[in-house]
Amino acid sequence: MKPAVKKEIDRAKLLYEQYGRELSRDKHIKELLERYREANIKTLDKIREIGVEEGCTFCAVELDECCCFEGVEEKYDYILLLVNLLLGAEISEYREIPAACLFVGSQGCLMAVRHYFCLHYLCPQLKTSLDPSAIDDFLSVSGDELYCGLETEQAIRGWLKQNAELKI
C-alpha cells in the first residue's frame, strides 16, 4: 500500500475514533448518512436489475479481469473513508486480492459507499451489452447517490472544522 493511502486511512480511523460517536449522534449528519445509505441501496438494486453486477462478476471470475484494479484506492480521501466507517464498513490495510483495489474482496466491494469512478465507470463491454435506456436509468440513480454523498461529505467537513480539535 502506498504511503499516501495509508495516511488517508489512518486519518479517517483517527477521526472516527475521536469523533465518530458525536458525528453519528448529530441530527443533521445522521439524516444525511441515512439518505446516503438509502440512495446507495437504490444504486445497488439498479446495478443488479440491469445486469452490471453479473457482467462485472463474469469479468472478475471468468476472465480474471477487473475494473477494481490496484490503485483505485488512491481516489478515496479521508472524508469518504470516514463516511464508510460511519456507515459500518471495515477498512482493512491488507489487500485481499493481489493486483486489485485494496477495498475489493472475494465478495466484491468492501466499502459501504464508493468513489465517483467506482460508481460511474462502465467498461466498453458493458456499455455495448446494456440497453442505452438502462444505462441512463443507472446513471440517474447513481447520480442521486453521488449527490447525497457530496452533501454528506460537505456537512462532515463543516462539522469537523467547527468541532474537531485537530487540523483536518
Side-chain angles (χ1 to χ4, degrees), residues 36-141:
Y36 197 5
R37 183 187 317 270
E38 289 170 8
N40 172 257
I41 290 168
K42 289 178 183 175
T43 300
L44 294 174
D45 288 345
K46 185 60 71 174
I47 283 171
R48 290 180 191 103
E49 177 188 318
I50 68 171
V52 170
E53 182 179 52
E54 184 179 319
C56 291
T57 301
F58 176 78
C59 283
V61 174
E62 300 297 324
L63 304 178
D64 200 26
E65 296 176 3
C66 186
C67 298
C68 305
F69 52 86
E70 185 173 351
V72 171
E73 66 273 7
E74 295 170 34
K75 296 183 178 299
Y76 285 72
D77 71 351
Y78 71 99
I79 295 293
L80 184 53
L81 293 169
L82 175 59
V83 169
N84 271 282
L85 291 169
L86 290 167
L87 290 172
E90 293 183 25
I91 299 172
S92 175
E93 296 180 24
Y94 302 99
R95 199 173 306 279
E96 187 177 326
I97 301 173
C101 174
L102 179 66
F103 306 132
V104 72
S106 59
Q107 300 299 311
C109 186
L110 304 172
M111 296 284 95
V113 290
R114 291 155 195 81
H115 184 271
Y116 173 87
F117 171 82
C118 303
L119 279 177
H120 267 239
Y121 179 77
L122 294 174
C123 70
Q125 187 174 348
L126 267 178
K127 281 184 181 176
T128 58
S129 69
L130 297 174
D131 181 276
S133 65
I135 293 173
D136 289 344
D137 288 347
F138 165 71
L139 292 175
S140 176
V141 170

Side-chain angles (χ1 to χ4, degrees), residues 22-33 159:
E22 291 175 64
L23 280 163
S24 295
R25 284 189 243 174
D26 180 277
K27 184 180 177 184
H28 182 62
I29 301 289
K30 189 176 181 177
E31 287 173 4
L32 289 171
L33 286 167
W159 189 98

